[in-house]
Structures are given as structure tokens and as C-alpha cells.
Amino acid sequence: MPWSSFRVSCPTRLLLAMIALAGVGQLSGCFNPSGAGDGGTETDGGTAMQSTGGPAGDTTQSPLDTSGAATSAAAETTPNATSSSGDPDDTSAGPSDSSTGEPSNCPGGDPTPAMAPYVVSDLVAGQESSDLDVGDINGDDHLDFIHLARVAGSIEVFFGDGAGGFLSDGVTVLNSNGFPDTIRLGAIADETLDLFVHMEGPVELWVIRGDGAGNFPIQQVYEPTYVRAIDLADLNGDAVLDLAYVGASNLEVRLGNPTETYQSPTLYGQNFGSAVRIADITGDGSVDILTADYGSTELQIYAGAGNGTFIAQPTVVTGSPVSGIDVGHLNADDNIDLVLTTADDLRVFYGEDDGTISSTPGTVLPDGLSRVRVADIDADGVEDLITRAGANVEIRFSTGNESFSDPVSFACSSSILSLEVGDFNEDCVPDLLGTQGGAQSLCLLLSDRE
């Protein structure tokens, strides 16, 4: 199944929708996109974001001719904020990291504490979207994104211009008999961005290497590999990107080689997983792996030894099935905190000074909030909570004392399936981007502080 010369361009710095704590990348500019955050009140008004995208239905079998990129515009700016009920159906947790960004040279001054000046737009795409990831794909120091359509079996790249505008590189149909359902970006062993795609029917994991010139000519297929959730990080300190994923029955860890290939998986535990997260949760300098079994009320922590091996630790009892995992600094100390979304609520387990995580949640927020992102939206040094509830994106600001503001909600045009974070217009405020169920568009929350 050759997939030759798909042009997505090469990145020099990876931003995995807020990269794992094991190795946060940073763009030049006023905000480190490894930390994103929530907002408070929304600013009315603002101009509709100009964006570009491939025309609907414009699909190309690879190799893709990229001599001409088509343009389109983002539709219908809606600066109103609303509220809605929770949506507990999402059981995915992608690689989103959460370390506090340090603003500098911010246009319009530093962000205002507990404020989220977002304008909501529909970003018209050439396909429906079921998953996405964010990074500097073409190496120009501006954030881009890639998204996939499961039913169509295709992907589309949008290049960012650093001002909140995007240019589509067209839709590419993957030459596969299956359905792609998960997409991730990562640089395996150099500064060239590579692509990770999980396929269902047949069950395969595609690793598609970039060539540094904007093409992805080298495809590796690992089968049978069932992936329900995946995260990427250097697990053994050799500066090569490794894989941790959960799916059919186990946590599987594949260590990467300097040749940009992957070893056979090492299996841990019995885990029909719904979520996985890589982070140094124990604070010993070695990354750990957190997993949640589908329908389980316990979170499993695998402590990393620093050499790519892991040891199961006592579980964290959640009381309700886990649907989402993230980590960050959610109070005033320097310890890593753990945030879980469940079918019933959102729970924050705060880090202890001895490197452990509290066995009981210090904060419990009602309602099933499904997927969660942690980021410092208002640049106050503590991170905030970003969740989705149906078609709404909700932001809860951290006060720094283990409590959060009431949610501020922004209405998208359709239900949000996945959500990523990045400073697309480089104004020191993290922006938000989500895929929308049943829509040939993405929901963009672009900050407008001036």
C-alpha cells in the first residue's frame, strides 16, 4: 500500500497539541504552545477570521500534486457564549501537554487574568473531520494542523500564517482498505515531522516518515495493531520518539530506533484501554504512563525506569469510568497534578511533595465532561481546564487554591469530537480548534484581545 510523496512539508519544531512533558517543543514567538488555557468572559465583536481551505469534495489520490492550493473562507463568526449539558461519550485522550507558557512581547499587553476573549468561527474544510493534531508542519515557525475523515479515509493539512489564517494543502485519500480513526504528529529521530495514523478494518498502525522537503514518501505498516488511544514521547532517553498505546487487551510500548523504525511491542497489564497519557507524574525525571481501561473506575500508573521499561503502581480509584486524562500545574505549588474526566464528573488529584499523587480528589466538578485539556489561557502561572459539552467548549479558570471559576461556554455549530490547543495568531493567548460531528468544518476559537 504505497503512500508516496504526500506533501505536508517538514517541521523544525514539534507541537503535539501541547506536547508531552517529557520534551516540550517551543516556537519562537510570544507564547509557548506547550501550555494552553481556558478563558473567562468572551469579547464580543471582532472581525471574521479569514482562512483558506481546499474546496469541498476536492480529493486527490496520492501522490498529491501540490502545485496549486485552493482557498476558501471561514464562515459565520459567532462571538456569543452559551451553556449546555455535558456529553460523556468521548473516550479518547490524545497527546496534549500542559506546561505553563511564558508570554513576552505580547501584542496588546499581557493577557488579562480570568478572561477569554474568543471569537468563534467555522473553518470550512474539504472533508468531514473526526480527529486532528497541531504542529509546525512546514517549518515556518507558525502553527499548522492536520485532520482526518474516518469514513472517506482521507486527510487534509492546513498551513497557518501566524495571524489566524490558514491555507489548505488539499485533501489526500489514503490508499487503504480500512478506516483511519486516529492521527498524530511527531518527529521520530530528527527535526522532520512524521505522521502516525491508526487504521481499522484491517487493524494497522501506519508510521509515515517525512523527508524534510514537505513530502511523506516512506510508509511503515505495523499489523495487527489495534489503537484506541496513543501518546508519543521519548521513553528511554535516546532522543528517539517512542509509542505508548492502549487498545485490544494491553498497554503496548514500542521503542523507536535511530533508523526511524519501531521495535516489537512490550506488553503491560490487561487493558482494553480508553485513554493513555505520558508524563513524569512521579517527579523523578523519568516519564511514566497513565492508562484507563474501558469502563474501569481505576486509573493505572506505570512508573518509568528511564530505560523504556515500566512498573505498575497502585491504581487511583476514580469512582466512575474514566473518559479523559491530562496533567498540569493546577494550583500554586510546583507539583504535577492529574485531572480526569469521568462519566459523572471531573476530578483533580493534586501532586504531593514526595512525588506521589493524592489518592483522593482535591477538586470534584459535577457533570460528565468527557475530554479535557489543561492550559494556562490567562498567563497567570496556573493552568485552567478546557472541556467540551456537546457543541460547546467550556473553560474553567483556576484560582490557584484548588478551586475553579464557573464555566464560560462558547457555542460551536455542531458537537465537538476532539479538541486541540495552539496560539494560531501569536498574540500570547492559546486558541482552540475542534472537529465537529457531521460537519465539513472545524470549530475555531480565535482570541481577539485588541
PDB file of all heavy atoms in Angstrom, residues 21 23 25 33 52 58 61 65 97 134 205 209 262 273 290 311 316 345 365 374 382 432 440:
ATOM      1  N   LEU A  21       5.093  16.184  28.548  1.00  0.00           N
ATOM      2  CA  LEU A  21       6.016  16.842  29.478  1.00  0.00           C
ATOM      3  C   LEU A  21       7.441  16.329  29.324  1.00  0.00           C
ATOM      4  O   LEU A  21       8.383  16.945  29.784  1.00  0.00           O
ATOM      5  CB  LEU A  21       5.557  16.583  30.914  1.00  0.00           C
ATOM      6  CG  LEU A  21       4.263  17.280  31.303  1.00  0.00           C
ATOM      7  CD1 LEU A  21       3.843  16.820  32.669  1.00  0.00           C
ATOM      8  CD2 LEU A  21       4.424  18.772  31.257  1.00  0.00           C
ATOM      9  N   GLY A  23       9.227  16.277  26.749  1.00  0.00           N
ATOM     10  CA  GLY A  23      10.076  17.034  25.862  1.00  0.00           C
ATOM     11  C   GLY A  23       9.294  18.109  25.152  1.00  0.00           C
ATOM     12  O   GLY A  23       8.940  17.960  24.003  1.00  0.00           O
ATOM     13  N   GLY A  25       8.246  21.139  23.034  1.00  0.00           N
ATOM     14  CA  GLY A  25       8.825  21.968  21.992  1.00  0.00           C
ATOM     15  C   GLY A  25       8.313  23.392  22.115  1.00  0.00           C
ATOM     16  O   GLY A  25       7.285  23.637  22.700  1.00  0.00           O
ATOM     17  N   PRO A  33       3.408  27.219  23.002  1.00  0.00           N
ATOM     18  CA  PRO A  33       2.168  26.480  22.831  1.00  0.00           C
ATOM     19  C   PRO A  33       2.122  25.173  23.580  1.00  0.00           C
ATOM     20  O   PRO A  33       1.137  24.472  23.502  1.00  0.00           O
ATOM     21  CB  PRO A  33       2.096  26.234  21.312  1.00  0.00           C
ATOM     22  CG  PRO A  33       3.024  27.229  20.722  1.00  0.00           C
ATOM     23  CD  PRO A  33       4.091  27.422  21.743  1.00  0.00           C
ATOM     24  N   THR A  52      -8.182  29.730   4.715  1.00  0.00           N
ATOM     25  CA  THR A  52      -8.144  29.143   3.394  1.00  0.00           C
ATOM     26  C   THR A  52      -8.250  27.656   3.515  1.00  0.00           C
ATOM     27  O   THR A  52      -7.756  27.056   4.456  1.00  0.00           O
ATOM     28  CB  THR A  52      -6.832  29.494   2.683  1.00  0.00           C
ATOM     29  OG1 THR A  52      -5.757  29.038   3.485  1.00  0.00           O
ATOM     30  CG2 THR A  52      -6.710  30.977   2.456  1.00  0.00           C
ATOM     31  N   ASP A  58     -12.836  18.062  -3.094  1.00  0.00           N
ATOM     32  CA  ASP A  58     -11.607  18.036  -3.885  1.00  0.00           C
ATOM     33  C   ASP A  58     -10.647  17.036  -3.291  1.00  0.00           C
ATOM     34  O   ASP A  58      -9.881  17.339  -2.398  1.00  0.00           O
ATOM     35  CB  ASP A  58     -10.968  19.432  -3.894  1.00  0.00           C
ATOM     36  CG  ASP A  58      -9.658  19.442  -4.664  1.00  0.00           C
ATOM     37  OD1 ASP A  58      -9.411  18.496  -5.424  1.00  0.00           O
ATOM     38  OD2 ASP A  58      -8.907  20.418  -4.498  1.00  0.00           O
ATOM     39  N   GLN A  61      -5.921  11.249  -5.143  1.00  0.00           N
ATOM     40  CA  GLN A  61      -5.184  10.048  -4.813  1.00  0.00           C
ATOM     41  C   GLN A  61      -3.700  10.374  -4.802  1.00  0.00           C
ATOM     42  O   GLN A  61      -3.207  11.078  -5.667  1.00  0.00           O
ATOM     43  CB  GLN A  61      -5.458   8.960  -5.864  1.00  0.00           C
ATOM     44  CG  GLN A  61      -6.894   8.456  -5.848  1.00  0.00           C
ATOM     45  CD  GLN A  61      -7.158   7.536  -4.681  1.00  0.00           C
ATOM     46  OE1 GLN A  61      -6.216   7.095  -4.028  1.00  0.00           O
ATOM     47  NE2 GLN A  61      -8.405   7.251  -4.411  1.00  0.00           N
ATOM     48  N   ASP A  65      -0.463  16.239  -6.148  1.00  0.00           N
ATOM     49  CA  ASP A  65       0.105  17.390  -6.855  1.00  0.00           C
ATOM     50  C   ASP A  65      -0.245  18.640  -6.076  1.00  0.00           C
ATOM     51  O   ASP A  65      -1.415  18.966  -5.928  1.00  0.00           O
ATOM     52  CB  ASP A  65      -0.473  17.457  -8.275  1.00  0.00           C
ATOM     53  CG  ASP A  65       0.082  18.645  -9.061  1.00  0.00           C
ATOM     54  OD1 ASP A  65       0.948  19.359  -8.522  1.00  0.00           O
ATOM     55  OD2 ASP A  65      -0.362  18.840 -10.203  1.00  0.00           O
ATOM     56  N   ASP A  97      -0.086  18.275  25.971  1.00  0.00           N
ATOM     57  CA  ASP A  97       0.685  18.547  27.170  1.00  0.00           C
ATOM     58  C   ASP A  97       0.266  19.844  27.790  1.00  0.00           C
ATOM     59  O   ASP A  97      -0.461  20.619  27.232  1.00  0.00           O
ATOM     60  CB  ASP A  97       2.171  18.595  26.856  1.00  0.00           C
ATOM     61  CG  ASP A  97       2.961  18.236  28.071  1.00  0.00           C
ATOM     62  OD1 ASP A  97       2.394  17.710  29.018  1.00  0.00           O
ATOM     63  OD2 ASP A  97       4.151  18.489  28.085  1.00  0.00           O
ATOM     64  N   VAL A 134      -1.967  19.179  15.946  1.00  0.00           N
ATOM     65  CA  VAL A 134      -1.451  20.523  15.721  1.00  0.00           C
ATOM     66  C   VAL A 134       0.066  20.497  15.782  1.00  0.00           C
ATOM     67  O   VAL A 134       0.655  19.803  16.612  1.00  0.00           O
ATOM     68  CB  VAL A 134      -1.999  21.491  16.790  1.00  0.00           C
ATOM     69  CG1 VAL A 134      -1.403  22.876  16.632  1.00  0.00           C
ATOM     70  CG2 VAL A 134      -3.520  21.565  16.727  1.00  0.00           C
ATOM     71  N   LEU A 205      -1.274   0.089  12.248  1.00  0.00           N
ATOM     72  CA  LEU A 205      -0.699   1.369  12.640  1.00  0.00           C
ATOM     73  C   LEU A 205       0.259   1.800  11.536  1.00  0.00           C
ATOM     74  O   LEU A 205       1.225   1.110  11.242  1.00  0.00           O
ATOM     75  CB  LEU A 205       0.041   1.261  13.969  1.00  0.00           C
ATOM     76  CG  LEU A 205       0.775   2.537  14.428  1.00  0.00           C
ATOM     77  CD1 LEU A 205      -0.212   3.662  14.703  1.00  0.00           C
ATOM     78  CD2 LEU A 205       1.626   2.259  15.669  1.00  0.00           C
ATOM     79  N   ARG A 209       6.954   8.512   7.333  1.00  0.00           N
ATOM     80  CA  ARG A 209       8.095   9.380   7.612  1.00  0.00           C
ATOM     81  C   ARG A 209       8.172  10.542   6.640  1.00  0.00           C
ATOM     82  O   ARG A 209       7.976  10.381   5.432  1.00  0.00           O
ATOM     83  CB  ARG A 209       9.382   8.559   7.555  1.00  0.00           C
ATOM     84  CG  ARG A 209       9.545   7.583   8.711  1.00  0.00           C
ATOM     85  CD  ARG A 209      10.653   6.590   8.455  1.00  0.00           C
ATOM     86  NE  ARG A 209      11.902   7.253   8.104  1.00  0.00           N
ATOM     87  CZ  ARG A 209      12.953   6.611   7.609  1.00  0.00           C
ATOM     88  NH1 ARG A 209      12.908   5.313   7.405  1.00  0.00           N
ATOM     89  NH2 ARG A 209      14.054   7.278   7.321  1.00  0.00           N
ATOM     90  N   TYR A 262      10.384   0.974  14.289  1.00  0.00           N
ATOM     91  CA  TYR A 262       9.944   0.664  15.648  1.00  0.00           C
ATOM     92  C   TYR A 262      10.126  -0.809  15.965  1.00  0.00           C
ATOM     93  O   TYR A 262       9.937  -1.682  15.110  1.00  0.00           O
ATOM     94  CB  TYR A 262       8.482   1.085  15.843  1.00  0.00           C
ATOM     95  CG  TYR A 262       8.377   2.573  16.062  1.00  0.00           C
ATOM     96  CD1 TYR A 262       8.192   3.432  14.987  1.00  0.00           C
ATOM     97  CD2 TYR A 262       8.534   3.118  17.325  1.00  0.00           C
ATOM     98  CE1 TYR A 262       8.139   4.803  15.167  1.00  0.00           C
ATOM     99  CE2 TYR A 262       8.484   4.485  17.526  1.00  0.00           C
ATOM    100  CZ  TYR A 262       8.289   5.319  16.443  1.00  0.00           C
ATOM    101  OH  TYR A 262       8.259   6.688  16.630  1.00  0.00           O
ATOM    102  N   GLY A 273      -7.993  -0.447  26.630  1.00  0.00           N
ATOM    103  CA  GLY A 273      -7.869   0.935  27.066  1.00  0.00           C
ATOM    104  C   GLY A 273      -8.779   1.913  26.368  1.00  0.00           C
ATOM    105  O   GLY A 273      -9.139   1.754  25.201  1.00  0.00           O
ATOM    106  N   LEU A 290       0.135   6.679  32.045  1.00  0.00           N
ATOM    107  CA  LEU A 290      -1.146   6.563  32.726  1.00  0.00           C
ATOM    108  C   LEU A 290      -2.154   5.989  31.747  1.00  0.00           C
ATOM    109  O   LEU A 290      -2.256   6.457  30.604  1.00  0.00           O
ATOM    110  CB  LEU A 290      -1.634   7.918  33.225  1.00  0.00           C
ATOM    111  CG  LEU A 290      -0.809   8.635  34.292  1.00  0.00           C
ATOM    112  CD1 LEU A 290       0.424   9.291  33.686  1.00  0.00           C
ATOM    113  CD2 LEU A 290      -1.637   9.693  34.994  1.00  0.00           C
ATOM    114  N   ILE A 311       6.926  -0.135  35.530  1.00  0.00           N
ATOM    115  CA  ILE A 311       6.459  -0.972  36.631  1.00  0.00           C
ATOM    116  C   ILE A 311       5.106  -0.453  37.090  1.00  0.00           C
ATOM    117  O   ILE A 311       4.950   0.735  37.372  1.00  0.00           O
ATOM    118  CB  ILE A 311       7.453  -0.960  37.808  1.00  0.00           C
ATOM    119  CG1 ILE A 311       8.828  -1.479  37.352  1.00  0.00           C
ATOM    120  CG2 ILE A 311       6.926  -1.790  38.965  1.00  0.00           C
ATOM    121  CD1 ILE A 311       9.902  -1.348  38.414  1.00  0.00           C
ATOM    122  N   VAL A 316      -5.247   4.482  40.966  1.00  0.00           N
ATOM    123  CA  VAL A 316      -6.009   5.601  41.519  1.00  0.00           C
ATOM    124  C   VAL A 316      -7.489   5.290  41.308  1.00  0.00           C
ATOM    125  O   VAL A 316      -7.930   5.112  40.170  1.00  0.00           O
ATOM    126  CB  VAL A 316      -5.638   6.925  40.825  1.00  0.00           C
ATOM    127  CG1 VAL A 316      -6.523   8.055  41.329  1.00  0.00           C
ATOM    128  CG2 VAL A 316      -4.166   7.251  41.063  1.00  0.00           C
ATOM    129  N   ASP A 345     -18.316  13.152  36.371  1.00  0.00           N
ATOM    130  CA  ASP A 345     -17.752  14.403  36.850  1.00  0.00           C
ATOM    131  C   ASP A 345     -16.323  14.582  36.353  1.00  0.00           C
ATOM    132  O   ASP A 345     -15.796  13.744  35.620  1.00  0.00           O
ATOM    133  CB  ASP A 345     -17.783  14.461  38.383  1.00  0.00           C
ATOM    134  CG  ASP A 345     -17.184  13.219  39.036  1.00  0.00           C
ATOM    135  OD1 ASP A 345     -16.233  12.651  38.470  1.00  0.00           O
ATOM    136  OD2 ASP A 345     -17.676  12.800  40.106  1.00  0.00           O
ATOM    137  N   LEU A 365     -15.720  18.446  40.098  1.00  0.00           N
ATOM    138  CA  LEU A 365     -16.679  19.302  39.412  1.00  0.00           C
ATOM    139  C   LEU A 365     -17.778  18.430  38.827  1.00  0.00           C
ATOM    140  O   LEU A 365     -17.485  17.421  38.180  1.00  0.00           O
ATOM    141  CB  LEU A 365     -15.998  20.100  38.294  1.00  0.00           C
ATOM    142  CG  LEU A 365     -14.839  20.984  38.729  1.00  0.00           C
ATOM    143  CD1 LEU A 365     -14.197  21.653  37.521  1.00  0.00           C
ATOM    144  CD2 LEU A 365     -15.295  22.039  39.729  1.00  0.00           C
ATOM    145  N   VAL A 374      -5.683  20.858  29.507  1.00  0.00           N
ATOM    146  CA  VAL A 374      -5.180  21.714  30.573  1.00  0.00           C
ATOM    147  C   VAL A 374      -4.236  22.726  29.954  1.00  0.00           C
ATOM    148  O   VAL A 374      -3.341  22.368  29.198  1.00  0.00           O
ATOM    149  CB  VAL A 374      -4.449  20.884  31.642  1.00  0.00           C
ATOM    150  CG1 VAL A 374      -3.786  21.787  32.664  1.00  0.00           C
ATOM    151  CG2 VAL A 374      -5.413  19.917  32.319  1.00  0.00           C
ATOM    152  N   VAL A 382      -0.878  29.549  36.655  1.00  0.00           N
ATOM    153  CA  VAL A 382      -1.576  28.311  36.967  1.00  0.00           C
ATOM    154  C   VAL A 382      -2.476  27.969  35.786  1.00  0.00           C
ATOM    155  O   VAL A 382      -3.020  28.859  35.127  1.00  0.00           O
ATOM    156  CB  VAL A 382      -2.395  28.398  38.274  1.00  0.00           C
ATOM    157  CG1 VAL A 382      -1.493  28.467  39.475  1.00  0.00           C
ATOM    158  CG2 VAL A 382      -3.346  29.583  38.240  1.00  0.00           C
ATOM    159  N   LEU A 432      -8.167  27.635  20.363  1.00  0.00           N
ATOM    160  CA  LEU A 432      -8.723  26.288  20.445  1.00  0.00           C
ATOM    161  C   LEU A 432      -9.281  25.890  19.089  1.00  0.00           C
ATOM    162  O   LEU A 432      -9.859  26.710  18.377  1.00  0.00           O
ATOM    163  CB  LEU A 432      -9.825  26.221  21.505  1.00  0.00           C
ATOM    164  CG  LEU A 432      -9.492  26.819  22.877  1.00  0.00           C
ATOM    165  CD1 LEU A 432     -10.707  26.773  23.791  1.00  0.00           C
ATOM    166  CD2 LEU A 432      -8.320  26.091  23.509  1.00  0.00           C
ATOM    167  N   GLN A 440     -18.690  19.595   7.626  1.00  0.00           N
ATOM    168  CA  GLN A 440     -17.494  19.728   6.806  1.00  0.00           C
ATOM    169  C   GLN A 440     -16.776  21.021   7.187  1.00  0.00           C
ATOM    170  O   GLN A 440     -16.468  21.871   6.359  1.00  0.00           O
ATOM    171  CB  GLN A 440     -17.867  19.721   5.327  1.00  0.00           C
ATOM    172  CG  GLN A 440     -16.675  19.438   4.424  1.00  0.00           C
ATOM    173  CD  GLN A 440     -17.088  19.074   3.012  1.00  0.00           C
ATOM    174  OE1 GLN A 440     -17.815  18.113   2.815  1.00  0.00           O
ATOM    175  NE2 GLN A 440     -16.649  19.854   2.041  1.00  0.00           N
TER     176      GLN A 440
END
